Amino acid sequence: METSTGYSIDPPSGLSSHYGSAIVALKTFSHIGEGPVADVVLEGLNKEYDNGFRAVTDLNLEINEAEFLVMVGPSGCGKSTTLRMIAGLEDITSGTLKIGDRVVNELPPKDRDIAMVFQNYALYPHMSVYDNIAFSLKLARRPKAEIKERVTEAARILELESQLDKRPAHLSGGQRQRVAMGRAIVRRPRVFLLDEPLSNLDAKLRVQMRAEITALQREVGVTTFYVTHDQVEAMTMADRVAVISQGVLQQVDTPMTLFNEPDNIFVAAFIGSPSMNIMEGVLTRNGQGLKLALGGQSLAVPEEVLQRRPALDGYLNQKVAVGLRPKDLEDAAIASDHPADQRLRASVLHTEALGFEIIAYFDLDAKPVISQEALELSDEEISAAESSSTRVHARFNPTTGVRSGDAIDVAVTVANAHFFDLETGLAIRG
């Protein structure tokens, strides 16, 4: 039997047993939502298991009406647990969860008026696309005419009109994902919940489906909470992104604000591909102005940097964490008008030609700074963290002629540098 969220109670063959308990928990889903979209408010939400493991700590988050909010973080950070608490599949240890104007902490899933899509689509192999999409409506005993109207409209939105008579085995991965989405949207829920829905697709199809899901959300206008470990998905799909690590919310903002103004070292390192280069540095002032020492080399720091971040004045002659985005490092032979005192000398270790850009790698003799929250460090990564040099990656213009082994000058846009307190990991602004 299938539930009105688009899940099956008796999982179709091939469905991962990982979702078995979730499917059982959804047995009573038979409510068909007809209400308007709603905001979702999490106030001081905590989830602690019987063994003492705390998966989510003091989470405060508001998902606005009709907003597409993506929660992103590494594996095991608490993002799926958060989604499951919203769905009612996980009990809330403490805190308050509101959907619209109702506190739903104790409501069963069937009464929360949400629709969910997992990474495993749970399509019935013996049913047609039409019947898969329509099943929750049939379960709720909706009139046949209404069922046909809703399924036809969902198929139009998802470009599945020509596939309605087919069975899932004859569909591509992207089409199966659309059917799973269609099964959710025919319910007209107040909230969509999506848990890593693209992780089973190949890279090319993921790009296509990112655009399709985003366009679908805009068209149906339903409040959407989407969780993923892929920061590229988060950056390209979301109205706002919530970054979480070890169960603690790090920052919530628009994608570009997270990229340009990260609140701490974790967000700085996690958001952006390739990731930000973060290393120890020392700011000093002499008769010639501000200087930033990175190992044995130094860069002139424009006064505008201190004007935008006046708190840096309190860190003069102290070690700080310095972040440089790969986009702010360029082959000086191309950036010939770049100030000579804002360049670093480096020996290119290797390059990656991507057509539209060249990723160049080199070492600087400055100690790397790696957020211990960013990932579970392997022996190799621990060794890198303890190294006295930082492996730096730069995004060069494809017209660069640099090759592995070349000694070059690297132009650094110091005005775009980020600075963090080494002890707290927080951005230095003020």
Side-chain angles (χ1 to χ4, degrees), residues 2-4 6 123-124 127-138 147 150-156 158 160-161 163-164 175-176 178-187:
E2 182 174 316
T3 68
S4 65
L123 302 181
Y124 284 96
M127 290 184 181
S128 67
V129 168
Y130 182 99
D131 288 335
N132 265 284
I133 295 175
F135 196 91
S136 61
L137 300 177
K138 292 179 179 179
I147 293 174
R150 290 201 192 184
V151 173
T152 301
E153 177 64 9
R156 180 196 66 78
L158 296 163
L160 289 170
E161 296 103 321
Q163 313 297 327
L164 289 175
Q175 288 169 333
R176 292 175 191 171
R178 289 194 197 109
V179 176
M181 293 293 295
R183 213 165 36 178
I185 68 174
V186 293
R187 295 189 55 248

Side-chain angles (χ1 to χ4, degrees), residues 210-226:
R210 287 203 310 254
E212 291 186 3
I213 290 176
T214 304
L216 173 64
Q217 194 274 339
R218 299 290 186 269
E219 181 164 350
V220 299
V222 175
T223 306
T224 300
F225 182 62
Y226 182 114

Side-chain angles (χ1 to χ4, degrees), residues 2-275:
E2 182 174 316
T3 68
S4 65
T5 57
Y7 297 123
S8 46
I9 292 171
D10 303 308
S13 60
L15 180 63
S16 168
S17 61
H18 172 73
Y19 295 111
S21 61
I23 291 166
V24 171
L26 284 165
K27 280 187 177 181
T28 55
F29 266 56
S30 60
H31 174 65
I32 301 298
E34 300 292 354
V37 294
D39 58 352
V40 179
V41 180
L42 289 65
E43 298 177 346
L45 224 59
N46 291 278
K47 176 61 182 180
E48 184 173 343
Y49 292 96
D50 292 340
N51 62 3
F53 175 70
R54 185 175 286 270
V56 176
T57 301
D58 195 27
L59 177 57
N60 293 283
L61 179 65
E62 181 169 354
I63 310 167
N64 299 316
E65 289 186 8
E67 181 179 32
F68 196 139
L69 188 139
V70 177
M71 178 171 279
V72 66
S75 297
C77 67
K79 55 188 184 294
S80 289
T81 301
T82 299
L83 179 142
R84 290 166 62 84
M85 285 193 287
I86 295 173
L89 304 180
E90 292 277 4
D91 292 333
I92 297 169
T93 303
S94 63
T96 302
L97 171 63
K98 296 179 182 178
I99 297 178
D101 56 1
R102 295 191 303 170
V103 175
V104 300
N105 289 46
E106 304 302 327
L107 285 182
K110 69 182 181 66
D111 294 327
R112 297 194 182 196
D113 205 358
I114 55 96
M116 293 181 63
V117 178
F118 279 136
Q119 60 185 359
N120 293 75
Y121 315 134
L123 302 181
Y124 284 96
H126 63 286
M127 290 184 181
S128 67
V129 168
Y130 182 99
D131 288 335
N132 265 284
I133 295 175
F135 196 91
S136 61
L137 300 177
K138 292 179 179 179
L139 188 67
R141 296 183 173 85
R142 310 304 291 188
K144 288 185 178 180
E146 179 185 343
I147 293 174
K148 182 177 181 180
E149 178 185 358
R150 290 201 192 184
V151 173
T152 301
E153 177 64 9
R156 180 196 66 78
I157 293 172
L158 296 163
E159 298 181 359
L160 289 170
E161 296 103 321
S162 63
Q163 313 297 327
L164 289 175
D165 294 330
K166 295 182 180 180
R167 294 186 177 182
H170 299 111
L171 303 178
S172 68
Q175 288 169 333
R176 292 175 191 171
Q177 179 66 71
R178 289 194 197 109
V179 176
M181 293 293 295
R183 213 165 36 178
I185 68 174
V186 293
R187 295 189 55 248
R188 300 176 183 169
R190 303 185 78 187
V191 179
F192 278 155
L193 303 175
L194 297 95
D195 189 3
E196 305 267 8
L198 306 183
S199 61
N200 288 337
L201 304 179
D202 62 47
K204 182 177 180 180
L205 194 52
R206 281 201 302 272
V207 174
Q208 177 186 338
M209 289 305 300
R210 287 203 310 254
E212 291 186 3
I213 290 176
T214 304
L216 173 64
Q217 194 274 339
R218 299 290 186 269
E219 181 164 350
V220 299
V222 175
T223 306
T224 300
F225 182 62
Y226 182 114
V227 304
T228 179
H229 67 277
D230 186 337
Q231 57 97 11
V232 175
E233 281 184 27
M235 295 290 284
T236 55
M237 299 176 74
D239 294 321
R240 288 189 302 149
V241 178
V243 183
I244 189 171
S245 173
Q246 297 182 352
V248 178
L249 188 65
Q250 303 292 312
Q251 186 174 357
V252 186
D253 220 313
T254 63
M256 290 311 298
T257 298
L258 290 179
F259 184 84
N260 292 319
E261 301 175 27
D263 281 350
N264 56 47
I265 292 174
F266 176 84
V267 176
F270 194 82
I271 297 296
S273 181
S275 61

